[in-house]
Amino acid sequence: MRRSTIARAMGCLTAAFGLTIGFTSQASAVYNSQITYTDNVRCVSGSSETSAGSNGGGFSRSWTFGYNRLSNGYCQVADQYTGWLSVERHLLAFNMSTGVWWKCAGYGPARNLSPASGVGLEGNFNRLCGGDVWYATNTAAYGWDGVAWRGNWVVSGNHWVPWAGLAKNTPQPRAPKISAAEAIARGEVRLGSPTGPKAGADQLQAPPRVPGTAPVSPPSVRDGSYRTVTR
């Protein structure tokens, strides 16, 4: 097995045991990887990452991976048919004056344009929702099985993005008392602005459309910094 295949398989096993890797320092990324679906034939996993990025203005990454389920019960990363992997990325921000999370940008859904084991949406967001702000990434990780989309959403931890970019001495306040994942589960995330309408699960954690009924690559978005990647 190739080294890259081994690494991805290890990531699948980590998610299968419910482990979450996370760091809270400004220079590090907060990362969450989970199995979002499994049956006797296939597995699907998703990963969400938020960090300061190389320029200090914030970076967000969402990935979906597909696996074949082996006879021993393990999931082995494997290429999936064209269009059978879907990823969507929401950028969430926390407004400290109102104490609420809100969705400030959406990307996708995007699907693999050729046989691939994974498809991702990632890019710098350049303080899209302001600086001195806590951000999080909400990722839809789904696989098509010929009948329906199978999967779920994965939310990263919170990451502080200051106006001062990569300055090491920028003061960082305490993280929000309620995480982005908790706010989503409670139906407390706002749309468009900190004072916008509350978003239900159908708006923040909806499955993708049936293949062929929606574009397989995302439209242009406000910051124009995303890129779609396949493996």
Side-chain angles (χ1 to χ4, degrees):
M1 185 184 293
R2 293 178 302 172
R3 181 177 298 176
S4 60
T5 302
I6 294 173
R8 292 178 209 148
M10 289 177 64
C12 181
L13 293 179
T14 299
F17 283 101
L19 299 180
T20 300
I21 303 171
F23 304 91
T24 57
S25 67
Q26 181 176 313
S28 301
V30 287
Y31 177 83
N32 187 12
S33 179
Q34 295 179 8
I35 294 289
T36 60
Y37 179 77
T38 182
D39 59 22
N40 294 330
V41 177
R42 67 187 53 78
C43 307
V44 180
S45 78
S47 65
S48 279
E49 177 183 332
T50 312
S51 72
S54 59
N55 64 359
F59 177 83
S60 175
R61 185 198 319 264
S62 296
W63 273 89
T64 297
F65 291 103
Y67 309 78
N68 291 339
R69 189 72 178 266
L70 304 180
S71 59
N72 61 8
Y74 287 98
C75 302
Q76 183 180 59
V77 68
D79 283 354
Q80 307 297 307
Y81 293 119
T82 298
W84 280 41
L85 292 174
S86 179
V87 63
E88 186 171 354
R89 177 164 64 96
H90 294 171
L91 187 63
L92 306 180
F94 184 76
N95 182 269
M96 288 193 289
S97 63
T98 59
V100 301
W101 284 95
W102 60 289
K103 176 187 172 185
C104 62
Y107 310 78
R111 297 200 290 271
N112 56 312
L113 300 178
S114 61
S117 61
V119 60
L121 285 168
E122 56 186 47
N124 295 313
F125 54 81
N126 301 314
R127 301 178 189 83
L128 180 62
C129 308
D132 290 347
V133 170
W134 289 96
Y135 286 89
T137 300
N138 185 29
T139 298
Y142 283 83
W144 180 256
D145 65 0
V147 177
W149 285 108
R150 313 291 184 180
N152 212 327
W153 289 71
V154 180
V155 188
S156 76
N158 316 323
H159 198 285
W160 176 251
V161 176
W163 276 120
L166 296 173
K168 294 183 179 180
N169 296 323
T170 301
Q172 176 177 312
R174 290 184 179 182
K177 292 182 179 180
I178 178 173
S179 68
E182 290 174 311
I184 292 171
R186 296 180 187 181
E188 296 178 357
V189 175
R190 303 279 180 164
L191 290 178
S193 75
T195 58
K198 290 184 178 180
D202 58 332
Q203 296 168 294
L204 284 178
Q205 295 192 316
R209 295 190 178 102
V210 175
T213 64
V216 296
S217 59
S220 297
V221 293
R222 283 186 289 170
D223 66 345
S225 65
Y226 76 85
R227 63 188 184 114
T228 305
V229 191
T230 56
R231 292 180 181 173

